[in-house]
Every structure is written in structure tokens, then in C-alpha cells.
Amino acid sequence: MAALIAENFRFLSLFFKSKDVMIFNGLVALGTVGSEELFSVVAFHCPCSPARNYIYGLAAIGVPALALFLIGVIWNNHTWNLVAECHKRGVKNFSAAATFLLFGSIMGRAAVAPVTWSVISLLRGEAYICALSEFVKPSSLDKFPADHGAEVLARFPCKDVPANLTKFRDEVTRRLRYESQLFGWLIIGIVAVLVFLTKCLKHCCSPLSYRQEAYWAQYRSNEDKLFRRTAEVHSRILAAKNVKQFFGFVALDKEEKELVQEFPVEGVQPSPQWNAITGVYIYRENKGFPLYSRLHKWAKGVEGNGPSPEAHEMLFLAS
């Protein structure tokens, strides 16, 4: 029981990533800010019509946020590693905490852009004002004409109102902008607290030292770069050999000829090897020595996914 609890607590380190990922998240947030500003200037036009304002205002905030969230899920490597893991091996090797925190990692990273979009939209206030102006109670406005109602209030975001209602429009706009910005700042505060708490939990529960964690991040980055670069060269050489076999010759430039001569490719890797290096990776140690990736584990000839005396799994998910 104690070992199981320790393993589940170690999974709390799932949520946080390397500095490179943090920088990437920052760039995503900045790109989202720029996109939201462009959208507000170019594309956002409140209909100023009862029943339409609410739908349009919420759609302006929610639909782009949803699209950004789905894009974030699609671009996250953990998503497709999880799909491959479920397809090839199932999730029987994961505890409930592992599965929950894996989904949390995917959702958390994907939420960077939509949260940024929503916060910027709320701080600007245009969409919120458009959505809720018609719901302001006329009785809350001092000396508001009794013969005017939701239809006139819905026109306030467009400033298309009679001169005698200008001061009421300014008051409604100011009140709604205050509420919108308040919600925006609250979201920023909540996110900041959650980031701080998870960062603290990550350092408290991580089975790795700070230096080993940094080394692991560097290893994963270098392995990924070298794997992609080598896969590109390997596939190009293999394609050249197959084209030559079909046509009798292959048109290669000077660089490609040098690659073909320098790196002989005899064939392709069998599917079991591809399956062995594909999927969700959990930090493992074999006889006290770390295994930093599925490729590392395959290269060392370590079999199986479950913990055993010969291949102990620390159950620490790669960020």
C-alpha cells in the first residue's frame, strides 16, 4: 500500500514541464493575445439586437477558445502517445492516478491558448458588454425612462442610442466592463495559484533530483531531434533505392548522392520495433540505472512494462 501511494504521488510531477515547454507555452499565449486583438479589431461586430447579442457575445469568447483547445490537444505528443498506448497495450499498466494525471497534462497544456483568449476577451470587455447589456435591469439605472427596455439596452454596445440615453449607455458600459475585467483578473489569479501549487507539488513529489530532471529533459530533446533527422535521411535513402529499382536510375542531387554513399540502408525496421518505441513513457530504472525513453529501454533490451525486481518503474511521466 505504501509503495502504491508513493507511486501515485510521484505522478503529481506530471503536470509540469521543462523550461523549453514553459517558453513554448509563453509563445502560445503571446500568439493568442495577438490573434485576439486582431479578431476584436477586424472581426468582432456586435449585432446590437435582443436575443442575438447574448449568443454572439458568448460565441466570440467560447468558440475560438474551444477551437484553440482542440488544436492544443491535437498538437500535444502525449495525445497520440496515449492513443498508441491504448491501441497497442491498453491502460492496464497505469494506475487510476496515472491515467487521471496523464489526461490532466494533456488538458493543461491544451488550455494555455484558450484560457489566454478568454482572459484577454474579458479584460477588453467588448464581448461581455455585447452579451449582457440587454439583461441589465432598467430599475437599477437612476431615472431610466420607463418606456425603454431590453431592445434599447441591446443597442448600447453600438452607441446607436438617443442623445438623452447617452449617460445611461456610459453607465451600463462602465458597469459591465468592470464585471468583465473582474472575472478576467480572477481567472488570472486562480491560474497563478494553481501553477504555483502544482509547481511546489512537482518538486516535492519528484523522485528525481533537479540536475537529473534537467538532464532527462536535455536527453529527450536531443533524442527527438536526432531521431527525426535520422528518420528523414533513412526514408530518403530508402526511397531513392526503391525508385532506382523501379526506373533503373534515380535523379539525386550532390548532397543526396553523398548521403546514399555514406549511409547504406539495407531495409526497414519491423513493426514490433516501432511499437516498442511508441506510446506513453513512464520513467523507469533497471537495476538502479535510469531508462530515459522507450527508445532507451528498447536499446538496453529491457522487456515488459510492469514493475519487477529486475526492471523497477519509478512511475514518473515524461513531461
Side-chain angles (χ1 to χ4, degrees):
M1 179 61 71
L4 179 60
I5 294 175
E7 288 174 353
N8 289 339
F9 268 109
R10 286 183 181 119
F11 266 96
L12 291 172
S13 58
L14 164 80
F15 283 96
F16 264 80
K17 314 102 183 172
S18 66
K19 292 181 180 179
D20 290 339
V21 176
M22 296 296 288
I23 293 173
F24 175 77
N25 288 342
L27 293 176
V28 170
L30 289 176
T32 305
V33 171
S35 300
E36 204 282 336
E37 290 290 334
L38 180 63
F39 173 82
S40 297
V41 173
V42 177
F44 184 81
H45 299 287
C46 185
C48 294
S49 174
R52 295 180 180 178
N53 284 12
Y54 184 71
I55 297 175
Y56 184 82
L58 292 185
I61 299 175
V63 173
L66 176 61
L68 290 170
F69 177 78
L70 293 177
I71 291 173
V73 172
I74 292 171
W75 278 358
N76 193 328
N77 289 334
H78 278 325
T79 302
W80 307 114
N81 284 333
L82 178 61
V83 171
E85 189 74 21
C86 294
H87 178 66
K88 298 296 182 182
R89 306 176 187 91
V91 293
K92 60 183 179 180
N93 297 311
F94 292 158
S95 65
T99 305
F100 172 77
L101 291 175
L102 176 59
F103 278 104
S105 175
I106 296 173
M107 300 299 109
R109 291 189 186 185
V112 173
V115 168
T116 303
W117 177 279
S118 300
V119 166
I120 297 301
S121 296
L122 290 171
L123 292 179
R124 288 183 61 88
E126 282 85 353
Y128 187 89
I129 293 171
C130 176
L132 297 181
S133 62
E134 64 183 283
F135 298 105
V136 175
K137 293 182 179 180
S139 58
S140 66
L141 302 173
D142 186 32
K143 298 181 181 179
F144 188 80
D147 56 336
H148 294 305
E151 184 174 353
V152 173
L153 290 169
R155 293 165 54 191
F156 279 6
C158 295
K159 302 180 181 180
D160 182 19
V161 296
N164 64 322
L165 297 179
T166 300
K167 65 176 183 178
F168 298 108
R169 176 183 59 80
D170 293 340
E171 181 179 350
V172 169
T173 300
R174 182 169 57 251
R175 183 186 303 178
L176 293 178
R177 192 180 300 277
Y178 154 76
E179 294 178 0
S180 179
Q181 293 182 346
L182 178 61
F183 289 139
W185 290 120
L186 286 175
I187 292 175
I188 292 176
I190 292 171
V191 171
V193 170
L194 289 176
V195 168
F196 173 75
L197 292 177
T198 50
K199 186 74 171 178
C200 292
L201 286 173
K202 181 256 182 181
H203 284 292
C204 291
C205 301
S206 173
L208 305 179
S209 67
Y210 173 77
R211 290 186 181 276
Q212 188 178 10
E213 223 177 295
Y215 178 85
W216 188 22
Q218 291 173 347
Y219 172 85
R220 292 198 313 272
S221 177
N222 289 327
E223 182 189 82
D224 183 66
K225 291 176 183 177
L226 291 173
F227 189 91
R228 290 177 182 273
R229 192 186 309 164
T230 305
E232 180 183 358
V233 173
H234 186 281
S235 61
R236 187 183 303 182
I237 296 173
L238 181 63
K241 292 181 64 175
N242 292 336
V243 171
K244 182 178 181 179
Q245 185 174 355
F246 184 81
F247 287 107
F249 73 97
V250 58
L252 300 175
D253 57 29
K254 182 179 180 180
E255 180 183 356
E256 290 171 335
K257 289 180 181 178
E258 294 176 353
L259 289 176
V260 170
Q261 293 174 356
E262 184 176 358
F263 304 111
V265 173
E266 301 300 333
V268 297
Q269 286 65 34
S271 293
Q273 290 187 9
W274 286 103
N275 294 337
I277 66 170
T278 303
V280 176
Y281 181 70
I282 299 174
Y283 177 80
R284 293 168 171 84
E285 288 186 0
N286 182 38
K287 299 180 180 179
F289 290 94
L291 300 173
Y292 290 119
S293 68
R294 282 196 171 276
L295 181 60
H296 190 189
K297 179 185 174 185
W298 172 83
K300 290 296 183 181
V302 179
E303 299 291 339
N305 294 318
S308 66
E310 293 77 21
H312 179 61
E313 297 185 359
M314 298 296 288
L315 296 183
F316 182 65
L317 192 71
S319 59

